[in-house]
Amino acid sequence: MPSFLRKRKLIVFLLSIIIIVSLIGYSLRSDGSSSVPAQFAHDTVGLFQSVLHKPIGAIADFTGSVSDMRQVYEQNQVLKQELQDYKSLAYEVNELEKENEELRAMADVDTTLSDYETLNATVIARSSERWFQQVTINKGSQHGVQENMAVQTAKGMVGKVINASQLTSTVQLLSGFGAEHQVSAIVDQNENIFGMIEGYDSENDQLIFRDLSDDSELEEGQAVVTSGLGGVFPRGILIGEISSIELDQYGLTSIAHVEPAADLNDINQVKVVDRELQTVEPSEEDEES
Amino acid sequence: MKIFLLPLITLILLVLQSVLTEVIPSTFLDGMLYIPHWPLVISIIVMIFYDREHSYVGLMNGLAFAILTDLTFTSILGVYLLGYGVSLYVIHLLKRVLHKNFLVSIVFVVLGVAIADLIIFGVYFLIGQVMIGFQEYLTTRLVPTLIVNVIGLLILYPLTKPMLTKWKYELEK
């Protein structure tokens, strides 16, 4: 191809290589772009997404409900039974809440790590390339969503907001968490065990929980919840259940594989969690100022 | 000048692929992931059936939507730009050599999507975003991706080819 090496084409070729390398480098450093053009692109695409999501979602819902219809009777029986238990449980919870409030008033504690408000949102799209496990939700900073807020479904935590535009936001799912998005976590009902969710094992679809405490009392079946000590998430959002435990490669700390409580492949309705206690800004803000 | 409808069609395709990814369960087959590259597919069709020897409508369209994909669906800019750019340029060089018919467009889509997806995988692998090996990538991602995009071509081809040849004819008149 002699024409390829003609002068003008060569210059264009070299320039585009330089532009692309600098773009990649820039976005690797800045960790998520929320500049005005990027927000505009997000919102424009998001608008089309929410328009198209309605008819397509309706069709998918309809086919889903037809196949659900077969099991309705059996499910109804089971649910009726569970409703009985639920009533007594709800009564118990009410009592406990009241008691908790009274005790807090006595102890002069206003807000704790576990207080939070939620904001309902609908998932309208998912990143079609699966390297980045990201979904788009139909609430943005106009509705009060901010970066780094936790996102959960009714079953448990699914991820966190990494990019809030005006009308839509991007959520990084737990299955795409790596070294740059760690979650500080504890084992439920055992304050001694704390550690970090530090990655996702895509082979068996489980999260990796590294135990940082000295005396390891990990057991299979224990529930792992957020600790609230990471600075952004409230305390007590369910992440998942421990399914197996092993030592790390140096044999010093133990690593647990955690089965996520929420189904990360099928997410429709989510809640964005806004912690009431003031949030500590992440450290990269400090570098800029 | 109806070609200005092209960005709108491509935008709808881009949005459609992300909405469908959300609604349709991710794994029909165990562990197989398919990645639609429909903006790339339609750009290749435009290149074959609309672009003349020295016009770059398909290439520009592909690059514009590569940037948009980078902005909206990934956290790293420039990777899709590189992948789509190289793959569309290769097609641009090859289309002078081959005839313009249906079979050739299938070959071009397979080749173009393979080049783009391999480059995207390669760059993500280099910067540490992706941890899986090449063998696993080939079997669980590349092959289903190629199949899905050929299906996309089979749907798009009868819809867009008559339109594009008509536009080209009107332009040359």
Side-chain angles (χ1 to χ4, degrees):
Chain A
M1 275 173 268
S3 67
F4 178 71
L5 289 174
R6 258 189 281 151
K7 219 176 179 182
R8 205 173 60 115
K9 281 192 176 165
L10 194 67
I11 291 174
V12 170
F13 177 71
L14 287 178
L15 265 183
S16 40
I17 292 278
I18 292 171
I19 290 173
I20 284 168
V21 169
S22 50
L23 265 179
I24 295 176
Y26 164 76
S27 42
L28 274 182
R29 275 177 59 90
S30 70
D31 185 36
S33 51
S34 50
S35 55
V36 176
Q39 285 199 4
F40 181 72
H42 274 136
D43 282 341
T44 320
V45 174
L47 184 71
F48 278 87
Q49 279 166 344
S50 39
V51 168
L52 268 180
H53 180 261
K54 272 180 193 137
I56 293 175
I59 296 169
D61 280 352
F62 179 72
T63 49
S65 32
V66 168
S67 59
D68 278 350
M69 216 114 84
R70 296 182 195 152
Q71 308 146 8
V72 164
Y73 180 74
E74 285 160 32
Q75 276 178 358
N76 200 358
Q77 298 294 322
V78 177
L79 286 176
K80 265 181 192 162
Q81 289 238 316
E82 276 178 12
L83 201 61
Q84 295 292 329
D85 300 344
Y86 175 76
K87 268 180 193 159
S88 59
L89 196 68
Y91 179 72
E92 217 168 284
V93 168
N94 273 341
E95 287 291 303
L96 286 174
E97 244 174 33
K98 213 194 281 173
E99 196 182 315
N100 194 353
E101 255 171 45
E102 279 169 11
L103 287 174
R104 269 197 215 169
M106 276 159 69
D108 263 353
V109 182
D110 283 343
T111 47
T112 66
L113 282 173
S114 29
D115 285 338
Y116 58 83
E117 281 178 355
T118 59
L119 180 73
N120 291 318
T122 309
V123 175
I124 53 173
R126 192 181 179 114
S127 172
S128 55
E129 58 122 64
R130 308 292 183 111
W131 298 125
F132 292 86
Q133 296 285 337
Q134 293 176 351
V135 296
T136 310
I137 57 172
N138 66 346
K139 293 282 159 69
S141 49
Q142 291 280 331
H143 307 94
V145 178
Q146 283 164 13
E147 270 175 42
N148 288 320
M149 282 181 177
V151 178
Q152 62 169 356
T153 62
K155 289 179 191 162
M157 180 167 171
V158 290
K160 74 169 186 177
V161 176
I162 55 163
N163 196 327
S165 299
Q166 295 295 319
L167 300 171
T168 56
S169 335
T170 312
V171 175
Q172 175 72 56
L173 298 182
L174 284 175
S175 44
F177 272 38
E180 70 268 41
H181 305 293
Q182 295 196 341
V183 184
S184 162
I186 49 172
V187 168
D188 195 24
Q189 294 170 348
N190 193 337
E191 297 290 315
N192 293 326
I193 308 178
F194 62 92
M196 291 289 204
I197 299 286
E198 57 170 27
Y200 187 76
D201 185 355
S202 57
E203 264 172 40
N204 43 20
D205 296 327
Q206 283 173 341
L207 293 159
I208 296 160
F209 172 73
R210 183 183 290 272
D211 179 12
L212 294 177
S213 46
D214 294 337
D215 47 341
S216 178
E217 296 161 19
L218 286 176
E219 277 168 37
E220 283 176 26
Q222 283 173 326
V224 176
V225 299
T226 55
S227 72
L229 299 176
V232 251
F233 301 154
R235 191 188 193 89
I237 297 181
L238 181 62
I239 297 174
E241 205 172 75
I242 295 178
S243 63
S244 66
I245 301 155
E246 59 190 51
L247 286 178
D248 77 341
Q249 50 183 338
Y250 307 112
L252 296 173
T253 50
S254 43
I255 289 176
H257 287 264
V258 177
E259 182 83 38
D263 182 359
L264 297 175
N265 284 322
D266 185 19
I267 306 166
N268 293 314
Q269 299 293 328
V270 295
K271 289 180 195 152
V272 182
V273 176
D274 184 7
R275 172 167 118 166
E276 280 182 12
L277 202 69
Q278 194 170 11
T279 297
V280 184
E281 289 294 317
S283 57
E284 63 246 28
E285 303 277 314
D286 299 348
E287 289 170 13
E288 283 170 12
S289 59
Chain B
M1 283 291 101
K2 284 178 186 153
I3 195 67
F4 288 117
L5 279 175
L6 181 67
L8 189 68
I9 299 172
T10 322
L11 181 63
I12 290 174
L13 284 179
L14 180 76
V15 168
L16 196 65
Q17 73 180 24
S18 66
V19 172
L20 284 179
T21 315
E22 206 281 301
V23 172
I24 296 174
S26 62
T27 45
F28 277 128
L29 297 165
D30 188 38
M32 295 282 220
L33 287 175
Y34 46 87
I35 294 92
H37 287 292
W38 293 337
L40 182 65
V41 173
I42 197 160
S43 301
I44 291 175
I45 298 179
V46 169
M47 262 186 139
I48 300 172
F49 296 109
Y50 183 81
D51 274 340
R52 279 153 296 149
E53 193 73 7
H54 289 293
S55 72
Y56 295 93
V57 178
L59 186 71
M60 289 303 156
N61 188 56
L63 288 183
F65 280 91
I67 298 175
L68 197 59
T69 314
D70 270 334
L71 268 179
T72 45
F73 297 129
T74 73
S75 327
I76 295 165
L77 300 176
V79 182
Y80 267 68
L81 199 61
L82 181 70
Y84 281 20
V86 171
S87 120
L88 285 171
Y89 193 71
V90 170
I91 305 272
H92 176 77
L93 293 177
L94 280 181
K95 79 171 185 181
R96 297 172 192 168
V97 188
L98 293 170
H99 287 288
K100 291 168 185 172
N101 59 34
F102 181 58
L103 275 180
V104 169
S105 61
I106 290 187
V107 172
F108 278 172
V109 163
V110 169
L111 188 70
V113 170
I115 292 174
D117 212 60
L118 277 169
I119 288 176
I120 291 165
F121 168 73
V123 175
Y124 284 160
F125 190 80
L126 279 182
I127 61 181
Q129 172 72 30
V130 174
M131 295 300 179
I132 65 173
F134 187 70
Q135 196 70 41
E136 197 190 340
Y137 163 76
L138 271 190
T139 50
T140 61
R141 296 186 68 118
L142 188 59
V143 175
T145 299
L146 290 179
I147 294 171
V148 159
N149 285 292
V150 169
I151 292 174
L153 174 75
L154 294 183
I155 297 168
L156 284 175
Y157 183 86
L159 294 179
T160 51
K161 195 229 163 181
M163 205 164 67
L164 286 169
T165 41
K166 205 177 103 195
W167 288 349
K168 188 179 181 185
Y169 177 71
E170 278 171 10
L171 192 73
E172 284 168 349
K173 206 165 48 175

